[in-house]
PDB file of all heavy atoms in Angstrom:
ATOM      1  N   SER E1225      -5.235-145.900 -54.738  1.00 96.00           N
ATOM      2  CA  SER E1225      -5.537-146.514 -56.035  1.00 96.00           C
ATOM      3  C   SER E1225      -5.760-145.444 -57.098  1.00 96.00           C
ATOM      4  O   SER E1225      -5.280-145.566 -58.229  1.00 96.00           O
ATOM      5  CB  SER E1225      -6.776-147.406 -55.931  1.00 96.00           C
ATOM      6  OG  SER E1225      -6.525-148.524 -55.116  1.00 96.00           O
ATOM      7  N   ASP E1226      -6.495-144.395 -56.722  1.00 95.00           N
ATOM      8  CA  ASP E1226      -6.750-143.307 -57.675  1.00 95.00           C
ATOM      9  C   ASP E1226      -5.448-142.607 -58.064  1.00 95.00           C
ATOM     10  O   ASP E1226      -5.225-142.297 -59.245  1.00 95.00           O
ATOM     11  CB  ASP E1226      -7.719-142.284 -57.064  1.00 95.00           C
ATOM     12  CG  ASP E1226      -9.132-142.833 -56.925  1.00 95.00           C
ATOM     13  OD1 ASP E1226      -9.445-143.847 -57.575  1.00 95.00           O
ATOM     14  OD2 ASP E1226      -9.926-142.242 -56.168  1.00 95.00           O
ATOM     15  N   THR E1227      -4.594-142.376 -57.076  1.00 97.00           N
ATOM     16  CA  THR E1227      -3.305-141.734 -57.352  1.00 97.00           C
ATOM     17  C   THR E1227      -2.473-142.598 -58.297  1.00 97.00           C
ATOM     18  O   THR E1227      -1.837-142.094 -59.234  1.00 97.00           O
ATOM     19  CB  THR E1227      -2.534-141.498 -56.036  1.00 97.00           C
ATOM     20  OG1 THR E1227      -3.294-140.605 -55.212  1.00 97.00           O
ATOM     21  CG2 THR E1227      -1.162-140.900 -56.301  1.00 97.00           C
ATOM     22  N   ASN E1228      -2.484-143.910 -58.068  1.00 97.00           N
ATOM     23  CA  ASN E1228      -1.721-144.823 -58.915  1.00 97.00           C
ATOM     24  C   ASN E1228      -2.294-144.867 -60.329  1.00 97.00           C
ATOM     25  O   ASN E1228      -1.550-144.933 -61.317  1.00 97.00           O
ATOM     26  CB  ASN E1228      -1.717-146.223 -58.287  1.00 97.00           C
ATOM     27  CG  ASN E1228      -0.469-147.012 -58.618  1.00 97.00           C
ATOM     28  OD1 ASN E1228       0.629-146.459 -58.663  1.00 97.00           O
ATOM     29  ND2 ASN E1228      -0.621-148.296 -58.859  1.00 97.00           N
ATOM     30  N   TYR E1229      -3.626-144.856 -60.419  1.00 97.00           N
ATOM     31  CA  TYR E1229      -4.257-144.849 -61.747  1.00 97.00           C
ATOM     32  C   TYR E1229      -3.851-143.591 -62.512  1.00 97.00           C
ATOM     33  O   TYR E1229      -3.494-143.653 -63.701  1.00 97.00           O
ATOM     34  CB  TYR E1229      -5.778-144.911 -61.621  1.00 97.00           C
ATOM     35  CG  TYR E1229      -6.488-145.198 -62.927  1.00 97.00           C
ATOM     36  CD1 TYR E1229      -6.848-146.498 -63.268  1.00 97.00           C
ATOM     37  CD2 TYR E1229      -6.776-144.185 -63.833  1.00 97.00           C
ATOM     38  CE1 TYR E1229      -7.482-146.775 -64.481  1.00 97.00           C
ATOM     39  CE2 TYR E1229      -7.403-144.449 -65.036  1.00 97.00           C
ATOM     40  CZ  TYR E1229      -7.756-145.747 -65.354  1.00 97.00           C
ATOM     41  OH  TYR E1229      -8.372-146.011 -66.566  1.00 97.00           O
ATOM     42  N   ASN E1230      -3.892-142.458 -61.825  1.00 96.00           N
ATOM     43  CA  ASN E1230      -3.516-141.201 -62.475  1.00 96.00           C
ATOM     44  C   ASN E1230      -2.039-141.205 -62.877  1.00 96.00           C
ATOM     45  O   ASN E1230      -1.665-140.636 -63.911  1.00 96.00           O
ATOM     46  CB  ASN E1230      -3.818-140.019 -61.550  1.00 96.00           C
ATOM     47  CG  ASN E1230      -5.312-139.864 -61.301  1.00 96.00           C
ATOM     48  OD1 ASN E1230      -6.139-140.404 -62.036  1.00 96.00           O
ATOM     49  ND2 ASN E1230      -5.669-139.121 -60.265  1.00 96.00           N
ATOM     50  N   ALA E1231      -1.200-141.867 -62.076  1.00 97.00           N
ATOM     51  CA  ALA E1231       0.214-142.001 -62.452  1.00 97.00           C
ATOM     52  C   ALA E1231       0.344-142.872 -63.702  1.00 97.00           C
ATOM     53  O   ALA E1231       1.229-142.640 -64.537  1.00 97.00           O
ATOM     54  CB  ALA E1231       1.005-142.606 -61.297  1.00 97.00           C
ATOM     55  N   GLY E1232      -0.535-143.857 -63.842  1.00 98.00           N
ATOM     56  CA  GLY E1232      -0.551-144.673 -65.050  1.00 98.00           C
ATOM     57  C   GLY E1232      -0.918-143.847 -66.275  1.00 98.00           C
ATOM     58  O   GLY E1232      -0.355-144.047 -67.364  1.00 98.00           O
ATOM     59  N   ILE E1233      -1.839-142.912 -66.103  1.00 98.00           N
ATOM     60  CA  ILE E1233      -2.188-141.997 -67.194  1.00 98.00           C
ATOM     61  C   ILE E1233      -0.963-141.184 -67.605  1.00 98.00           C
ATOM     62  O   ILE E1233      -0.648-141.050 -68.793  1.00 98.00           O
ATOM     63  CB  ILE E1233      -3.343-141.063 -66.770  1.00 98.00           C
ATOM     64  CG1 ILE E1233      -4.622-141.870 -66.526  1.00 98.00           C
ATOM     65  CG2 ILE E1233      -3.576-139.976 -67.833  1.00 98.00           C
ATOM     66  CD1 ILE E1233      -5.776-141.050 -65.945  1.00 98.00           C
ATOM     67  N   ASP E1234      -0.257-140.647 -66.612  1.00 98.00           N
ATOM     68  CA  ASP E1234       0.958-139.870 -66.897  1.00 98.00           C
ATOM     69  C   ASP E1234       1.995-140.713 -67.642  1.00 98.00           C
ATOM     70  O   ASP E1234       2.633-140.242 -68.585  1.00 98.00           O
ATOM     71  CB  ASP E1234       1.574-139.342 -65.591  1.00 98.00           C
ATOM     72  CG  ASP E1234       0.826-138.148 -65.032  1.00 98.00           C
ATOM     73  OD1 ASP E1234       0.180-137.433 -65.822  1.00 98.00           O
ATOM     74  OD2 ASP E1234       0.880-137.939 -63.803  1.00 98.00           O
ATOM     75  N   PHE E1235       2.161-141.958 -67.198  1.00 98.00           N
ATOM     76  CA  PHE E1235       3.138-142.849 -67.834  1.00 98.00           C
ATOM     77  C   PHE E1235       2.826-142.992 -69.319  1.00 98.00           C
ATOM     78  O   PHE E1235       3.714-142.876 -70.172  1.00 98.00           O
ATOM     79  CB  PHE E1235       3.122-144.219 -67.147  1.00 98.00           C
ATOM     80  CG  PHE E1235       4.002-145.237 -67.825  1.00 98.00           C
ATOM     81  CD1 PHE E1235       5.340-145.346 -67.494  1.00 98.00           C
ATOM     82  CD2 PHE E1235       3.489-146.076 -68.813  1.00 98.00           C
ATOM     83  CE1 PHE E1235       6.155-146.281 -68.127  1.00 98.00           C
ATOM     84  CE2 PHE E1235       4.292-147.006 -69.449  1.00 98.00           C
ATOM     85  CZ  PHE E1235       5.628-147.107 -69.107  1.00 98.00           C
ATOM     86  N   VAL E1236       1.585-143.255 -69.626  1.00 98.00           N
ATOM     87  CA  VAL E1236       1.195-143.422 -71.033  1.00 98.00           C
ATOM     88  C   VAL E1236       1.434-142.137 -71.807  1.00 98.00           C
ATOM     89  O   VAL E1236       2.025-142.146 -72.902  1.00 98.00           O
ATOM     90  CB  VAL E1236      -0.290-143.841 -71.132  1.00 98.00           C
ATOM     91  CG1 VAL E1236      -0.751-143.825 -72.586  1.00 98.00           C
ATOM     92  CG2 VAL E1236      -0.500-145.227 -70.529  1.00 98.00           C
ATOM     93  N   MET E1237       0.982-141.030 -71.258  1.00 98.00           N
ATOM     94  CA  MET E1237       1.090-139.755 -71.964  1.00 98.00           C
ATOM     95  C   MET E1237       2.534-139.338 -72.215  1.00 98.00           C
ATOM     96  O   MET E1237       2.833-138.638 -73.188  1.00 98.00           O
ATOM     97  CB  MET E1237       0.360-138.655 -71.174  1.00 98.00           C
ATOM     98  CG  MET E1237      -1.139-138.826 -71.130  1.00 98.00           C
ATOM     99  SD  MET E1237      -1.858-138.754 -72.785  1.00 98.00           S
ATOM    100  CE  MET E1237      -3.561-139.131 -72.424  1.00 98.00           C
ATOM    101  N   ASN E1238       3.422-139.787 -71.351  1.00 97.00           N
ATOM    102  CA  ASN E1238       4.838-139.442 -71.501  1.00 97.00           C
ATOM    103  C   ASN E1238       5.594-140.370 -72.445  1.00 97.00           C
ATOM    104  O   ASN E1238       6.760-140.128 -72.754  1.00 97.00           O
ATOM    105  CB  ASN E1238       5.534-139.444 -70.126  1.00 97.00           C
ATOM    106  CG  ASN E1238       5.068-138.299 -69.243  1.00 97.00           C
ATOM    107  OD1 ASN E1238       4.667-137.251 -69.739  1.00 97.00           O
ATOM    108  ND2 ASN E1238       5.102-138.501 -67.945  1.00 97.00           N
ATOM    109  N   HIS E1239       4.929-141.442 -72.909  1.00 98.00           N
ATOM    110  CA  HIS E1239       5.624-142.426 -73.749  1.00 98.00           C
ATOM    111  C   HIS E1239       4.763-142.856 -74.933  1.00 98.00           C
ATOM    112  O   HIS E1239       4.787-144.029 -75.331  1.00 98.00           O
ATOM    113  CB  HIS E1239       6.027-143.648 -72.917  1.00 98.00           C
ATOM    114  CG  HIS E1239       6.910-143.323 -71.745  1.00 98.00           C
ATOM    115  ND1 HIS E1239       8.209-142.883 -71.890  1.00 98.00           N
ATOM    116  CD2 HIS E1239       6.673-143.344 -70.416  1.00 98.00           C
ATOM    117  CE1 HIS E1239       8.738-142.666 -70.684  1.00 98.00           C
ATOM    118  NE2 HIS E1239       7.826-142.938 -69.783  1.00 98.00           N
ATOM    119  N   LEU E1240       4.048-141.913 -75.522  1.00 98.00           N
ATOM    120  CA  LEU E1240       3.147-142.250 -76.626  1.00 98.00           C
ATOM    121  C   LEU E1240       3.889-142.712 -77.879  1.00 98.00           C
ATOM    122  O   LEU E1240       3.271-143.265 -78.790  1.00 98.00           O
ATOM    123  CB  LEU E1240       2.255-141.047 -76.963  1.00 98.00           C
ATOM    124  CG  LEU E1240       1.115-140.768 -75.975  1.00 98.00           C
ATOM    125  CD1 LEU E1240       0.440-139.445 -76.303  1.00 98.00           C
ATOM    126  CD2 LEU E1240       0.097-141.898 -75.968  1.00 98.00           C
ATOM    127  N   ASP E1241       5.203-142.505 -77.905  1.00 97.00           N
ATOM    128  CA  ASP E1241       5.955-143.013 -79.047  1.00 97.00           C
ATOM    129  C   ASP E1241       6.016-144.537 -79.056  1.00 97.00           C
ATOM    130  O   ASP E1241       6.151-145.168 -80.111  1.00 97.00           O
ATOM    131  CB  ASP E1241       7.378-142.446 -79.040  1.00 97.00           C
ATOM    132  CG  ASP E1241       8.166-142.886 -77.809  1.00 97.00           C
ATOM    133  OD1 ASP E1241       7.606-142.848 -76.691  1.00 97.00           O
ATOM    134  OD2 ASP E1241       9.340-143.265 -77.961  1.00 97.00           O
ATOM    135  N   LYS E1242       5.875-145.146 -77.864  1.00 98.00           N
ATOM    136  CA  LYS E1242       5.954-146.606 -77.747  1.00 98.00           C
ATOM    137  C   LYS E1242       4.691-147.241 -77.161  1.00 98.00           C
ATOM    138  O   LYS E1242       4.446-148.434 -77.353  1.00 98.00           O
ATOM    139  CB  LYS E1242       7.139-147.008 -76.852  1.00 98.00           C
ATOM    140  CG  LYS E1242       8.469-147.118 -77.568  1.00 98.00           C
ATOM    141  CD  LYS E1242       8.480-148.328 -78.515  1.00 98.00           C
ATOM    142  CE  LYS E1242       9.827-148.460 -79.226  1.00 98.00           C
ATOM    143  NZ  LYS E1242       9.805-149.543 -80.230  1.00 98.00           N
ATOM    144  N   VAL E1243       3.924-146.454 -76.412  1.00 98.00           N
ATOM    145  CA  VAL E1243       2.824-147.014 -75.622  1.00 98.00           C
ATOM    146  C   VAL E1243       1.472-146.490 -76.103  1.00 98.00           C
ATOM    147  O   VAL E1243       1.297-145.291 -76.315  1.00 98.00           O
ATOM    148  CB  VAL E1243       2.994-146.680 -74.124  1.00 98.00           C
ATOM    149  CG1 VAL E1243       1.878-147.321 -73.299  1.00 98.00           C
ATOM    150  CG2 VAL E1243       4.354-147.137 -73.619  1.00 98.00           C
ATOM    151  N   SER E1244       0.523-147.405 -76.273  1.00 98.00           N
ATOM    152  CA  SER E1244      -0.879-147.063 -76.517  1.00 98.00           C
ATOM    153  C   SER E1244      -1.683-147.548 -75.324  1.00 98.00           C
ATOM    154  O   SER E1244      -1.289-148.500 -74.644  1.00 98.00           O
ATOM    155  CB  SER E1244      -1.393-147.730 -77.792  1.00 98.00           C
ATOM    156  OG  SER E1244      -0.697-147.276 -78.923  1.00 98.00           O
ATOM    157  N   ALA E1245      -2.824-146.912 -75.071  1.00 98.00           N
ATOM    158  CA  ALA E1245      -3.592-147.296 -73.890  1.00 98.00           C
ATOM    159  C   ALA E1245      -5.092-147.271 -74.149  1.00 98.00           C
ATOM    160  O   ALA E1245      -5.606-146.423 -74.885  1.00 98.00           O
ATOM    161  CB  ALA E1245      -3.261-146.388 -72.710  1.00 98.00           C
ATOM    162  N   PHE E1246      -5.754-148.224 -73.516  1.00 98.00           N
ATOM    163  CA  PHE E1246      -7.201-148.292 -73.444  1.00 98.00           C
ATOM    164  C   PHE E1246      -7.533-148.032 -71.977  1.00 98.00           C
ATOM    165  O   PHE E1246      -7.229-148.869 -71.118  1.00 98.00           O
ATOM    166  CB  PHE E1246      -7.667-149.686 -73.886  1.00 98.00           C
ATOM    167  CG  PHE E1246      -9.145-149.912 -73.832  1.00 98.00           C
ATOM    168  CD1 PHE E1246      -9.925-149.837 -74.989  1.00 98.00           C
ATOM    169  CD2 PHE E1246      -9.776-150.253 -72.642  1.00 98.00           C
ATOM    170  CE1 PHE E1246     -11.290-150.074 -74.941  1.00 98.00           C
ATOM    171  CE2 PHE E1246     -11.135-150.496 -72.588  1.00 98.00           C
ATOM    172  CZ  PHE E1246     -11.898-150.406 -73.746  1.00 98.00           C
ATOM    173  N   PHE E1247      -8.081-146.861 -71.676  1.00 98.00           N
ATOM    174  CA  PHE E1247      -8.381-146.515 -70.286  1.00 98.00           C
ATOM    175  C   PHE E1247      -9.760-147.051 -69.929  1.00 98.00           C
ATOM    176  O   PHE E1247     -10.783-146.454 -70.241  1.00 98.00           O
ATOM    177  CB  PHE E1247      -8.288-145.001 -70.084  1.00 98.00           C
ATOM    178  CG  PHE E1247      -6.892-144.467 -70.228  1.00 98.00           C
ATOM    179  CD1 PHE E1247      -6.502-143.776 -71.375  1.00 98.00           C
ATOM    180  CD2 PHE E1247      -5.952-144.676 -69.232  1.00 98.00           C
ATOM    181  CE1 PHE E1247      -5.208-143.302 -71.519  1.00 98.00           C
ATOM    182  CE2 PHE E1247      -4.647-144.204 -69.372  1.00 98.00           C
ATOM    183  CZ  PHE E1247      -4.284-143.522 -70.516  1.00 98.00           C
ATOM    184  N   GLY E1248      -9.753-148.207 -69.279  1.00 97.00           N
ATOM    185  CA  GLY E1248     -11.004-148.833 -68.871  1.00 97.00           C
ATOM    186  C   GLY E1248     -11.403-148.308 -67.511  1.00 97.00           C
ATOM    187  O   GLY E1248     -10.811-148.679 -66.486  1.00 97.00           O
ATOM    188  N   THR E1249     -12.383-147.406 -67.485  1.00 95.00           N
ATOM    189  CA  THR E1249     -12.749-146.793 -66.209  1.00 95.00           C
ATOM    190  C   THR E1249     -14.172-146.273 -66.233  1.00 95.00           C
ATOM    191  O   THR E1249     -14.644-145.780 -67.261  1.00 95.00           O
ATOM    192  CB  THR E1249     -11.786-145.640 -65.853  1.00 95.00           C
ATOM    193  OG1 THR E1249     -12.172-145.058 -64.604  1.00 95.00           O
ATOM    194  CG2 THR E1249     -11.777-144.557 -66.927  1.00 95.00           C
ATOM    195  N   HIS E1250     -14.841-146.396 -65.096  1.00 93.00           N
ATOM    196  CA  HIS E1250     -16.153-145.789 -64.898  1.00 93.00           C
ATOM    197  C   HIS E1250     -16.019-144.539 -64.034  1.00 93.00           C
ATOM    198  O   HIS E1250     -17.022-144.002 -63.558  1.00 93.00           O
ATOM    199  CB  HIS E1250     -17.101-146.787 -64.222  1.00 93.00           C
ATOM    200  CG  HIS E1250     -17.442-147.960 -65.093  1.00 93.00           C
ATOM    201  ND1 HIS E1250     -18.511-148.778 -64.857  1.00 93.00           N
ATOM    202  CD2 HIS E1250     -16.858-148.458 -66.202  1.00 93.00           C
ATOM    203  CE1 HIS E1250     -18.576-149.728 -65.772  1.00 93.00           C
ATOM    204  NE2 HIS E1250     -17.562-149.556 -66.591  1.00 93.00           N
ATOM    205  N   ASN E1251     -14.787-144.119 -63.822  1.00 93.00           N
ATOM    206  CA  ASN E1251     -14.506-142.966 -62.976  1.00 93.00           C
ATOM    207  C   ASN E1251     -14.479-141.701 -63.831  1.00 93.00           C
ATOM    208  O   ASN E1251     -13.671-141.561 -64.752  1.00 93.00           O
ATOM    209  CB  ASN E1251     -13.153-143.186 -62.276  1.00 93.00           C
ATOM    210  CG  ASN E1251     -12.835-142.120 -61.268  1.00 93.00           C
ATOM    211  OD1 ASN E1251     -12.626-140.967 -61.621  1.00 93.00           O
ATOM    212  ND2 ASN E1251     -12.811-142.506 -60.009  1.00 93.00           N
ATOM    213  N   GLU E1252     -15.358-140.778 -63.507  1.00 94.00           N
ATOM    214  CA  GLU E1252     -15.486-139.555 -64.308  1.00 94.00           C
ATOM    215  C   GLU E1252     -14.244-138.675 -64.191  1.00 94.00           C
ATOM    216  O   GLU E1252     -13.812-138.060 -65.171  1.00 94.00           O
ATOM    217  CB  GLU E1252     -16.735-138.791 -63.879  1.00 94.00           C
ATOM    218  CG  GLU E1252     -18.021-139.571 -64.153  1.00 94.00           C
ATOM    219  CD  GLU E1252     -19.249-138.934 -63.536  1.00 94.00           C
ATOM    220  OE1 GLU E1252     -19.096-137.926 -62.809  1.00 94.00           O
ATOM    221  OE2 GLU E1252     -20.364-139.442 -63.773  1.00 94.00           O
ATOM    222  N   VAL E1253     -13.664-138.620 -62.993  1.00 94.00           N
ATOM    223  CA  VAL E1253     -12.483-137.771 -62.782  1.00 94.00           C
ATOM    224  C   VAL E1253     -11.312-138.275 -63.615  1.00 94.00           C
ATOM    225  O   VAL E1253     -10.603-137.495 -64.265  1.00 94.00           O
ATOM    226  CB  VAL E1253     -12.114-137.718 -61.284  1.00 94.00           C
ATOM    227  CG1 VAL E1253     -10.811-136.955 -61.082  1.00 94.00           C
ATOM    228  CG2 VAL E1253     -13.236-137.064 -60.475  1.00 94.00           C
ATOM    229  N   SER E1254     -11.100-139.583 -63.618  1.00 95.00           N
ATOM    230  CA  SER E1254     -10.006-140.148 -64.413  1.00 95.00           C
ATOM    231  C   SER E1254     -10.222-139.913 -65.905  1.00 95.00           C
ATOM    232  O   SER E1254      -9.288-139.588 -66.646  1.00 95.00           O
ATOM    233  CB  SER E1254      -9.881-141.653 -64.152  1.00 95.00           C
ATOM    234  OG  SER E1254      -9.457-141.898 -62.833  1.00 95.00           O
ATOM    235  N   SER E1255     -11.465-140.081 -66.358  1.00 97.00           N
ATOM    236  CA  SER E1255     -11.768-139.862 -67.773  1.00 97.00           C
ATOM    237  C   SER E1255     -11.477-138.419 -68.167  1.00 97.00           C
ATOM    238  O   SER E1255     -10.873-138.152 -69.216  1.00 97.00           O
ATOM    239  CB  SER E1255     -13.242-140.191 -68.048  1.00 97.00           C
ATOM    240  OG  SER E1255     -13.539-141.533 -67.719  1.00 97.00           O
ATOM    241  N   GLU E1256     -11.875-137.488 -67.318  1.00 97.00           N
ATOM    242  CA  GLU E1256     -11.634-136.073 -67.623  1.00 97.00           C
ATOM    243  C   GLU E1256     -10.145-135.749 -67.570  1.00 97.00           C
ATOM    244  O   GLU E1256      -9.651-134.924 -68.353  1.00 97.00           O
ATOM    245  CB  GLU E1256     -12.407-135.191 -66.636  1.00 97.00           C
ATOM    246  CG  GLU E1256     -12.455-133.731 -67.056  1.00 97.00           C
ATOM    247  CD  GLU E1256     -13.459-132.910 -66.282  1.00 97.00           C
ATOM    248  OE1 GLU E1256     -14.157-133.454 -65.405  1.00 97.00           O
ATOM    249  OE2 GLU E1256     -13.545-131.695 -66.550  1.00 97.00           O
ATOM    250  N   LEU E1257      -9.416-136.416 -66.672  1.00 97.00           N
ATOM    251  CA  LEU E1257      -7.976-136.185 -66.579  1.00 97.00           C
ATOM    252  C   LEU E1257      -7.276-136.595 -67.873  1.00 97.00           C
ATOM    253  O   LEU E1257      -6.382-135.883 -68.363  1.00 97.00           O
ATOM    254  CB  LEU E1257      -7.393-136.960 -65.395  1.00 97.00           C
ATOM    255  CG  LEU E1257      -5.898-136.780 -65.145  1.00 97.00           C
ATOM    256  CD1 LEU E1257      -5.555-135.326 -64.853  1.00 97.00           C
ATOM    257  CD2 LEU E1257      -5.440-137.683 -63.978  1.00 97.00           C
ATOM    258  N   VAL E1258      -7.670-137.748 -68.439  1.00 98.00           N
ATOM    259  CA  VAL E1258      -7.095-138.168 -69.719  1.00 98.00           C
ATOM    260  C   VAL E1258      -7.375-137.122 -70.789  1.00 98.00           C
ATOM    261  O   VAL E1258      -6.483-136.732 -71.558  1.00 98.00           O
ATOM    262  CB  VAL E1258      -7.657-139.541 -70.156  1.00 98.00           C
ATOM    263  CG1 VAL E1258      -7.120-139.907 -71.537  1.00 98.00           C
ATOM    264  CG2 VAL E1258      -7.287-140.627 -69.154  1.00 98.00           C
TER     265      VAL E1258
END
């Protein structure tokens, strides 16, 4: 699940011309990764 969430972060970051994201998470590692 964590790996998939991080892949979702990558997806957003690679397509910011079309995609905006609200990262809803209580996970500190994911927040720092963003």
Side-chain angles (χ1 to χ4, degrees):
S1225 293
D1226 290 343
T1227 298
N1228 210 38
Y1229 192 95
N1230 295 343
I1233 295 173
D1234 283 334
F1235 174 88
V1236 172
M1237 292 298 175
N1238 291 332
H1239 302 292
L1240 285 172
D1241 63 316
K1242 274 290 181 185
V1243 183
S1244 297
F1246 179 100
F1247 293 104
T1249 180
H1250 293 198
N1251 186 293
E1252 296 171 355
V1253 174
S1254 293
S1255 301
E1256 192 167 359
L1257 182 61
V1258 176

